[in-house]
Amino acid sequence: MVNLTCSCRGNPPVAHFVWFMISNGRLELIKVDTQVYGLNVTDSDQGRLFFCGCRNDLDIQLSTGHQLIFKGDQLNKDVGIQVVLKILGIMMLVSTMVIFECWFRSRGSIKPRKEKEEAVYVNNMAELT
């Protein structure tokens, strides 16, 4: 059993608490009007993000998502770091390509342009008798 606790401060005071979960890319409402959410953790809870929301008469504020860490999950944590590093590497590669493309285009516009040669028009006259 795991208890997730939501704490908020507000003026006016917090009137309602709401719990959400993202599972398989879908946002699901879990529980309403409870500051502490207790759940029996199963393997299916791995990878899910849990959010709490606090609401008063003026606004609602959502927490950042929290993911449950399972015992022996160090391998998954390392895999997450690898994914982040790969994404950063791809972003750097694409950024570099965009910078070089802009640089090459700007160099092309700086090159002196050859002036167009004026066309020579020859007037031919023919005499008719």
Side-chain angles (χ1 to χ4, degrees):
M1 177 82 159
V2 171
N3 288 323
L4 302 176
T5 304
C6 188
S7 63
C8 304
R9 289 180 294 181
N11 188 10
V14 173
H16 301 284
F17 294 93
V18 181
W19 288 94
F20 298 97
M21 170 180 64
I22 293 181
S23 178
N24 297 324
R26 291 184 15 226
L27 181 66
E28 299 177 26
L29 177 65
I30 303 173
K31 197 146 182 130
V32 179
D33 286 338
T34 181
Q35 187 174 3
V36 178
Y37 171 60
L39 72 147
N40 292 319
V41 178
T42 63
D43 287 339
S44 64
D45 291 320
Q46 195 165 5
R48 291 181 176 167
L49 288 174
F50 294 89
F51 299 86
C52 80
C54 303
R55 189 175 70 97
N56 61 16
D57 294 334
L58 300 177
D59 196 13
I60 185 168
Q61 184 70 44
L62 293 178
S63 69
T64 57
H66 295 284
Q67 190 170 14
L68 300 178
I69 304 296
F70 286 74
K71 187 175 181 178
D73 244 6
Q74 184 62 35
L75 178 63
N76 290 340
K77 195 173 188 179
D78 292 340
V79 170
I81 292 171
Q82 290 175 354
V83 169
V84 169
L85 289 176
K86 285 180 184 179
I87 291 171
L88 287 174
I90 290 170
M91 289 173 51
M92 288 174 50
L93 178 65
V94 169
S95 299
T96 304
M97 290 172 45
V98 168
I99 290 169
F100 276 116
E101 179 69 23
C102 292
W103 182 63
F104 285 130
R105 286 183 184 208
S106 69
R107 282 190 61 214
S109 64
I110 295 174
K111 288 182 182 177
R113 294 183 180 174
K114 294 182 182 178
E115 292 184 25
K116 293 183 181 178
E117 294 181 20
E118 291 184 25
V120 178
Y121 294 103
V122 177
N123 291 331
N124 291 332
M125 288 183 52
E127 286 185 34
L128 297 173
T129 44

